[in-house]
Amino acid sequence: MMWTETPESRDNQSGISLTTTDTNEETSISSIVWFRNNLRLCDNLPLRDSARRGPLLPVFINEDLSGTEPEGARRWWRARSLGRLDKSLSRLGAPLAFFRGDPAVILPDLAMQLKADRIVAMDAVDPEDRRIQARLAEALANRPVEIHRFPADYLIPPADLPAGRTSPWKVFTPFWRAAQSRLPPPYPLPTPDRLDGIPFQCTESPDDWGWEPKRPDWAAEMRAFWTPGEEGALNLLKDFLENRLENYAVGRDVPDGKTSSFLSPHLANGEISPRTVWWAIENSGAVGADREKFLSELGWREFSAHLLWHHPDLSTEPLRKDLPEMPWREDGSSLLAWQKGQTGIPLVDAGMRQLRRLGFLPNRVRMVAASFLVKNLLVDWRKGREWFSDNLVDHDPASNAASWQWIAGYGADASPWFRIFNPVLQGEKFDPDGRYVKAFVPELAGLSPRYVHRPWTAPSTLPEKAGIGEQSPYRNPVVDLGLSRKRALDAWSSLRG
Ligand SMILES: Cc1cc2nc3c(=O)[nH]c(=O)nc-3n(C[C@H](O)[C@H](O)[C@H](O)COP(=O)(O)OP(=O)(O)OC[C@H]3O[C@@H](n4cnc5c(N)ncnc54)[C@H](O)[C@@H]3O)c2cc1C
């Protein structure tokens, strides 16, 4: 049998129909396995469970009908990851079927046509995904198809906490203490040996979805730097354990080179499960500060999901309802300078240019760049959150929203408003030679460490300064750091009366 679009199929809401090559053949499968943010074979509960029940169809649905949703960088990543997942599933006997449209329409139609017993997926955490899953459940209400959802991809599924408490946690430390008391997580499940797939042909392919940029091709460096997919994730984890876990607690703050795990895009796309990462650390025999620090970073991922689960409007509404809104400035040109990495503040610009080139920037630089936008430029944190969501290959709605709220002082356990990162001091502390800054801001290549993070202070007679023209933002940054800091603190004081 094979998938084709037929004239009759247009009667279906989904516009697809199953035609068999042998018309007498009765089509019937056990499970439709709906892949979303779990693009892997290993430790994949829906896949593993379905594999032992009989014939199955693995499915991925492109839900972005307009093609205009943010997450451009993550879509690029996903296109690559899906290609690899399809190959891996094909090797086991069940290629991935691609569709485009509304899952709440496509999946029920598909289930009826295939006479599938069940649709299996992972629980969603993001509110939009939860809405889609709720609509799907409604659409299946009167049909003989069961929808089975497995716990979301966390060490402790957000729905399971807080157990025995009346309200969700607002502070990380007690949250993580309580979470740790429920660890270790179950051991990761192995990849199924084989899958009983059904032969089919579908009319959709990720190659036609425009997720790979062409003109302009902004993903060229990302292609060279990253290896999306499960194999890339496992190799990166091995490399991290062998070369970077030792000294992680200190090294993670150094932006030059690979000092942290760089696993975030793989985790955000579900190419590796947090349980696999957790057990790899456990089995590595690592002890002490490096181990604890790394596991607590995984804890922040859990905490962010906890916040989003209990506060579905986390992306737009401040968690701290008691704090008044800042008098945000509508300053399009400063926002643009920040987005393009042209503010004249070296560490901020390096981070923002790295973001455009690699879809990533290290945690320390994320904090500095975000603080600069929100506090020195007094631009609404939601604008920063949105820009990150479009440009990060590791975009995760929970971690992104929670982190921006934290920086802006509105979040749970937030950094207070008066904590304003000084990008010059941060640069001099964590990038003392200026190697990171120079890698992304080549205009500063000639400056010595003394001036590389504060080029506007270099004497104009200095030959090193030759490459920085009069009009360069590195002579006149978009804001004076001292004055803009004072403006932010004054705004805060006036709001508090
Ligand atoms: C403004 C801002 C926005 C952010 N947006 C995102 C985002 O969209 N997606 C995302 O995954 N992380 C986000 N982070 C958190 C953090 O910066 C990245 O997870 C980290 O830099 C990824 O690099 P890594 O994989 O090498 O991390 P490692 O240091 O190796 O940490 C291991 C894993 O722990 C998790 N983690 C680490 N730090 C944090 C944190 N502070 N909060 C939540 N999880 C964490 C990640 O899954 C990471 O892969 C954001 C931070 C800030 C300040």
Side-chain angles (χ1 to χ4, degrees):
M1 73 194 116
M2 52 183 194
W3 280 109
T4 50
E5 192 166 344
T6 63
E8 303 79 49
S9 74
R10 313 248 151 71
D11 297 339
N12 297 328
Q13 286 189 63
S14 62
I16 45 170
S17 165
L18 186 75
T19 56
T20 58
T21 44
D22 170 0
T23 45
N24 296 325
E25 192 183 336
E26 263 291 288
T27 311
S28 172
I29 66 167
S30 171
S31 312
I32 293 174
V33 186
W34 182 22
F35 282 80
R36 275 186 117 218
N37 290 329
N38 53 332
L39 306 182
R40 64 172 185 272
L41 303 185
C42 179
D43 199 28
N44 188 326
L45 275 78
L47 182 67
R48 181 85 196 171
D49 181 73
S50 305
R52 53 183 187 80
R53 287 173 188 259
L56 56 85
L57 182 70
V59 163
F60 181 85
I61 304 172
N62 171 3
E63 297 157 28
D64 176 19
L65 295 183
S66 63
T68 55
E69 281 184 17
E71 292 208 316
R74 200 174 150 197
R75 272 202 302 271
W76 165 78
W77 183 287
R78 197 172 268 190
R80 303 230 128 193
S81 188
L82 284 171
R84 290 183 175 134
L85 178 66
D86 184 26
K87 279 203 184 89
S88 306
L89 284 166
S90 301
R91 268 199 298 276
L92 294 186
L96 195 52
F98 295 102
F99 299 92
R100 184 176 185 157
D102 181 352
V105 175
I106 289 176
L107 290 170
D109 270 4
L110 197 53
M112 296 311 285
Q113 291 171 50
L114 290 170
K115 300 189 181 68
D117 301 332
R118 315 183 316 148
I119 297 170
V120 279
M122 262 177 165
D123 233 350
V125 173
D126 180 67
E128 183 49 34
D129 294 351
R130 281 163 77 178
R131 272 191 286 277
I132 292 176
Q133 290 198 339
R135 283 198 294 109
L136 174 62
E138 250 171 59
L140 290 171
N142 297 317
R143 304 198 196 195
V145 186
E146 178 204 356
I147 171 147
H148 192 89
R149 300 203 315 246
F150 286 86
D153 233 353
Y154 290 91
L155 297 172
I156 298 155
D160 291 5
L161 287 172
R165 270 174 62 99
T166 50
S167 60
W169 273 277
K170 291 199 168 74
V171 177
F172 174 73
T173 307
F175 164 85
W176 187 227
R177 204 180 301 123
Q180 279 176 302
S181 70
R182 299 188 48 178
L183 296 176
Y187 207 73
L189 299 168
T191 298
D193 296 330
R194 58 176 292 278
L195 299 171
D196 188 2
I198 57 167
F200 69 93
Q201 233 179 25
C202 54
T203 53
E204 289 288 339
S205 157
D207 295 344
D208 304 326
W209 293 344
W211 287 2
E212 278 278 358
K214 297 224 162 58
R215 270 187 292 267
D217 179 9
W218 44 258
E221 282 189 73
M222 296 185 193
R223 249 173 245 125
F225 187 81
W226 298 104
T227 310
E230 186 168 16
E231 198 183 335
L234 293 170
N235 288 339
L236 200 53
L237 175 62
K238 186 166 175 282
D239 180 41
F240 174 66
L241 293 175
E242 286 171 1
N243 302 310
R244 298 194 299 283
L245 176 55
E246 195 180 334
N247 198 38
Y248 168 83
V250 175
R252 64 188 282 273
D253 278 322
V254 177
D256 183 37
K258 257 191 192 166
T259 51
S260 55
S261 73
F262 280 56
L263 282 170
S264 53
H266 297 285
L267 282 162
N269 290 287
E271 296 164 353
I272 192 166
S273 75
R275 308 197 306 194
T276 301
V277 178
W278 198 94
W279 276 105
I281 302 292
E282 188 65 17
N283 292 338
S284 74
V287 288
D290 296 323
R291 174 187 190 276
E292 293 313 310
K293 188 71 197 160
F294 183 77
L295 293 180
S296 83
E297 294 308 327
L298 286 183
W300 276 98
R301 180 175 181 272
E302 302 278 317
F303 186 48
S304 303
H306 174 76
L307 293 176
L308 184 60
W309 179 265
H310 291 286
H311 306 277
D313 56 6
L314 188 71
S315 294
T316 52
E317 299 307 316
L319 271 178
R320 292 278 309 266
K321 308 278 185 232
D322 55 316
L323 294 179
E325 275 283 332
M326 275 288 145
W328 303 118
R329 293 169 61 241
E330 284 302 326
D331 182 352
S333 65
S334 294
L335 176 62
L336 193 63
W338 178 80
Q339 291 170 339
K340 289 165 81 173
Q342 298 282 0
T343 65
I345 308 295
L347 188 62
V348 172
D349 289 355
M352 297 308 290
R353 293 190 200 184
Q354 183 182 23
L355 174 63
R356 290 293 279 168
R357 283 165 57 178
L358 297 181
F360 184 91
L361 66 169
N363 184 60
R364 167 82 25 200
V365 188
R366 285 186 207 208
M367 292 194 293
V368 173
S371 163
F372 181 77
L373 180 76
V374 172
K375 295 181 179 171
N376 295 88
L377 297 181
L378 262 185
V379 170
D380 192 336
W381 60 271
R382 298 164 187 93
K383 294 191 174 150
R385 185 200 60 74
E386 204 177 318
W387 184 252
F388 271 27
S389 75
D390 198 20
N391 287 280
L392 282 171
V393 285
D394 66 17
H395 176 237
D396 167 53
S399 301
N400 195 31
S403 302
W404 276 96
Q405 291 230 18
W406 185 87
I407 291 286
Y410 286 106
D413 206 0
S415 156
W417 178 265
F418 52 80
R419 183 170 179 209
I420 301 177
F421 284 89
N422 181 325
V424 171
L425 299 182
Q426 291 282 313
E428 289 174 345
K429 182 167 180 193
F430 296 109
D431 182 35
D433 302 333
R435 278 216 305 268
Y436 171 74
V437 155
K438 289 179 186 180
F440 293 99
V441 188
E443 300 95 297
L444 302 176
L447 285 189
S448 63
R450 179 167 178 199
Y451 296 117
V452 70
H453 289 289
R454 49 177 91 224
W456 55 88
T457 63
S460 51
T461 49
L462 207 69
E464 295 172 336
K465 215 173 167 183
I468 311 171
E470 278 299 330
Q471 301 306 316
S472 164
Y474 300 103
R475 293 228 174 151
N476 292 296
V478 289
V479 281
D480 175 276
L481 288 176
L483 293 178
S484 58
R485 177 187 156 82
K486 183 170 179 316
R487 177 176 65 185
L489 294 176
D490 287 349
W492 176 239
S493 309
S494 68
L495 277 186
R496 290 166 62 95

